[in-house]
Amino acid sequence: MVQNVAAQMAELEEDDFHLLSGIEHGMRFSRWVSEGKLPKFSRLDEEEVTYRVDRCMDRELVERKTIQYTGYRLTFEGYDALALRTFSERDTIDGVGAPLGVGKESDVYEARSFQSLALKYHREGYTNFREVQKEREYTADKEHRSWFYTARKAAEREYEALETLYPEVSVPRPVDQNRHALIMEKLDGVELSQAKLESQQVVGVLDLILEEMATAYREGYVHADMSEYNVFVSSEGVTVFDWPQSVPTEHENSEELLQRDVDNIVGYFERKYPRETPEVDRAALASALADDEFETARNFA
């Protein structure tokens, strides 16, 4: 598990960030940055580099490996520190609070600001980089990429989708993005997987989710990872989140992915609420969403 680096930010000095930025730059060319190249990349002299490396390694922001040479690379904590530094310089947030959710592919924290925000770090590929690199379209054409690249591309893709969809689609309001991290509206409510809907609510909530999927398609996106874990339910309605795997509707597989999303979300309701969920022609329903005919097919039976 990646540790929350926010508590260490006040201890870090300007030259620490110069070193971290220098290693980040070097990782564009090699997974492990040669010790001899650190002065050039960080613009620090050799003595200062040695001192800063020790400080950053003590804080687990950098790791070292001896191969044919002694090399260094950022840890995810080091990458987090660089993103937080940028958000601070932009006055996007004032600090980081309690964790809101920790998963295999992202960590989410409260973000302190004048408004209620959340900080999301993408962690794609951290535990199984090769598998994620194989599956994710935004890494498929890259033969030599670190998990930092994978996580950054995921954050960029998610932020782009949120900017396009908000506010027409009920998604978290995007605020800022840097590297593998993004700042967005903090969600209220409960995850659909944890919600206990009353019998009279089941069809209405499913209807709301499908309506958001239809609107998203009309606005140009398919979520491509819809499940009970990517929907929040509250008294205000539903919010669909986690969009890094989304694809534009002109994508050659967009209709296939929309069909999979429909299968996933309808299948969840059929399993958890079998009595309340009506029989669904899923293929016809997916076609109605894609053809912007959901209003005329709202009974989806």
Side-chain angles (χ1 to χ4, degrees):
M1 177 181 171
V2 180
Q3 301 301 310
N4 184 2
V5 75
Q8 300 187 44
M9 292 296 290
E11 303 174 1
L12 297 178
E13 300 170 352
E14 188 74 24
D15 283 346
D16 294 326
F17 288 105
H18 287 163
L19 177 72
L20 295 175
S21 295
I23 295 176
E24 178 189 28
H25 178 71
M27 288 177 66
R28 293 170 55 190
F29 312 105
S30 175
R31 289 183 181 174
W32 294 92
V33 183
S34 171
E35 186 174 38
K37 294 182 179 180
L38 292 182
K40 175 184 175 182
F41 289 149
S42 64
R43 298 183 181 180
L44 302 171
D45 61 41
E46 291 184 9
E47 183 177 348
E48 191 68 27
V49 164
T50 300
Y51 174 66
R52 297 298 164 181
V53 164
D54 288 342
R55 278 177 54 85
C56 290
M57 288 192 64
D58 287 344
R59 291 163 174 78
E60 299 183 352
L61 306 178
V62 172
E63 57 186 337
R64 176 171 53 208
K65 184 175 183 179
T66 301
I67 24 182
Q68 293 89 348
Y69 58 91
T70 300
Y72 295 88
R73 70 180 180 185
L74 297 176
T75 63
F76 250 125
E77 286 86 351
Y79 207 36
D80 292 354
L82 287 171
L84 283 182
R85 167 84 162 183
T86 299
F87 289 141
S88 175
E89 291 175 337
R90 293 174 180 172
D91 293 324
T92 304
I93 60 174
D94 301 322
V96 179
L100 299 174
V102 176
K104 288 195 304 181
E105 297 190 347
S106 66
D107 294 340
V108 184
Y109 293 87
E110 290 182 318
R112 290 199 289 267
S113 179
F114 66 92
Q115 53 189 321
S116 184
L117 299 176
L119 163 66
K120 179 177 182 179
Y121 296 117
H122 278 270
R123 306 295 191 202
E124 279 83 353
Y126 180 62
T127 56
N128 194 354
F129 171 62
R130 288 184 178 179
E131 195 63 30
V132 171
Q133 188 182 41
K134 188 191 310 179
E135 292 181 356
R136 299 298 167 87
E137 179 177 296
Y138 44 82
T139 64
D141 60 342
K142 307 297 181 181
E143 295 181 359
H144 177 71
R145 293 296 185 186
S146 70
W147 56 68
F148 297 114
Y149 174 85
T150 308
R152 177 172 64 81
K153 294 302 292 183
E156 289 173 354
R157 175 172 288 205
E158 179 165 30
Y159 192 75
E160 180 181 348
L162 294 179
E163 280 198 309
T164 300
L165 297 173
Y166 184 86
E168 283 76 14
V169 181
S170 182
V171 299
R173 177 176 58 85
V175 176
D176 200 358
Q177 182 262 324
N178 181 258
R179 294 177 172 88
H180 64 313
L182 56 94
I183 305 294
M184 57 188 160
E185 171 189 16
K186 180 184 173 185
L187 297 179
D188 293 321
V190 62
E191 197 176 88
L192 178 62
S193 64
Q194 302 297 319
K196 297 180 180 179
L197 302 178
E198 301 293 336
S199 294
Q200 65 272 22
Q201 296 176 310
V202 172
V203 171
V205 171
L206 175 56
D207 185 77
L208 287 174
I209 296 169
L210 293 169
E211 185 175 5
E212 297 301 337
M213 293 168 60
T215 306
Y217 198 93
R218 186 167 66 244
E219 296 297 322
Y221 275 94
V222 177
H223 188 283
D225 192 30
M226 280 295 298
S227 76
E228 63 271 25
Y229 304 107
N230 295 331
V231 178
F232 257 55
V233 181
S234 73
S235 59
E236 302 298 317
V238 301
T239 304
V240 182
F241 59 98
D242 277 350
W243 291 81
Q245 293 191 59
S246 62
V247 299
T249 51
E250 62 265 24
H251 188 282
E252 60 181 355
N253 296 325
S254 63
E255 291 189 9
E256 176 185 336
L257 292 169
L258 178 62
Q259 179 68 66
R260 189 177 70 181
D261 281 352
V262 168
D263 289 340
N264 287 345
I265 203 68
V266 172
Y268 168 74
F269 275 84
E270 288 177 343
R271 292 191 303 275
K272 187 165 184 177
Y273 306 103
R275 294 183 178 179
E276 295 85 355
T277 304
E279 289 188 19
V280 175
D281 183 338
R282 299 184 188 179
L285 175 56
S287 294
L289 299 186
D291 295 337
D292 199 16
E293 296 177 352
F294 182 59
E295 284 297 323
T296 60
R298 294 188 77 92
N299 58 354
F300 45 81

